């Protein structure tokens, strides 16, 4: 019973916080929703998404290789840790190659269309 009342109060508060700005905008007579996607073509959108993925992917790859190197060095010859570190490098490299091939795939599709 107590939990249900808490949920209702939280729902009411969230509704008031989200609906308030909408009602204020409606009184102003200006109710338009701006498009958050600034790309005008699908080609441009794919290019922007790919740039974002590559921007985040390159440092993540470096971090994964550094973590694997740390695991390899601190494993003290333990075969499990050594194998785990090698797998991390292997899968991170496969992901990185796929990430870099993404731009080539986009160029290939553009040339075919």
């Amino acid at each position: 019973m107590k939990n249900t009342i808490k949920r209702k109060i939280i729902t009411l508060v969230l509704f008031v916080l989200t609906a308030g700005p909408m009602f204020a905008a409606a009184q102003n007579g200006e109710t338009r929703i701006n498009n958050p996607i600034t790309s005008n073509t699908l080609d441009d959108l794919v290019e922007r998404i790919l740039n974002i993925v590559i921007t985040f992917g390159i440092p993540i790859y470096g971090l994964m290789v550094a973590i694997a190197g740390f695991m390899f060095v601190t494993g003290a010859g333990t075969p499990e840790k050594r194998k785990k570190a090698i797998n991390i490098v292997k899968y991170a490299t496969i992901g990185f190659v796929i990430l870099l091939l993404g731009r080539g795939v986009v160029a290939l599709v553009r040339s075919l269309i």
Side-chain angles (χ1 to χ4, degrees):
M1 177 99 168
K2 204 175 192 182
N3 200 9
T4 307
I5 294 172
K6 263 187 187 177
R7 282 188 187 167
K8 288 181 180 179
I9 290 172
I10 290 172
T11 303
L12 180 66
V13 168
L14 288 175
F15 176 74
V16 169
L17 288 176
T18 57
M22 288 190 300
F23 291 129
Q27 288 176 354
N28 205 5
E30 201 176 303
T31 56
R32 29 177 221 149
I33 300 173
N34 294 329
N35 186 4
I37 301 172
T38 58
S39 303
N40 293 327
T41 63
L42 181 63
D43 209 22
D44 189 32
L45 178 65
V46 170
E47 186 71 29
R48 285 175 182 250
I49 291 172
L50 191 60
N51 285 338
I52 291 170
V53 169
I54 288 174
T55 301
F56 284 106
I58 291 172
I60 290 173
Y61 173 70
L63 181 67
M64 293 305 293
V65 170
I67 289 171
F70 182 76
M71 287 179 65
F72 192 82
V73 170
T74 60
T78 309
E80 297 89 26
K81 285 194 176 188
R82 183 173 182 245
K83 186 176 180 181
K84 189 174 181 180
I86 291 171
N87 280 338
I88 289 173
V89 170
K90 180 172 58 174
Y91 292 127
T93 303
I94 290 170
F96 186 67
V97 168
I98 291 171
L99 182 74
L100 294 179
L101 287 176
R103 193 169 298 281
V105 170
V106 170
L108 179 68
V109 170
R110 276 186 193 159
S111 69
L112 293 176
I113 295 177

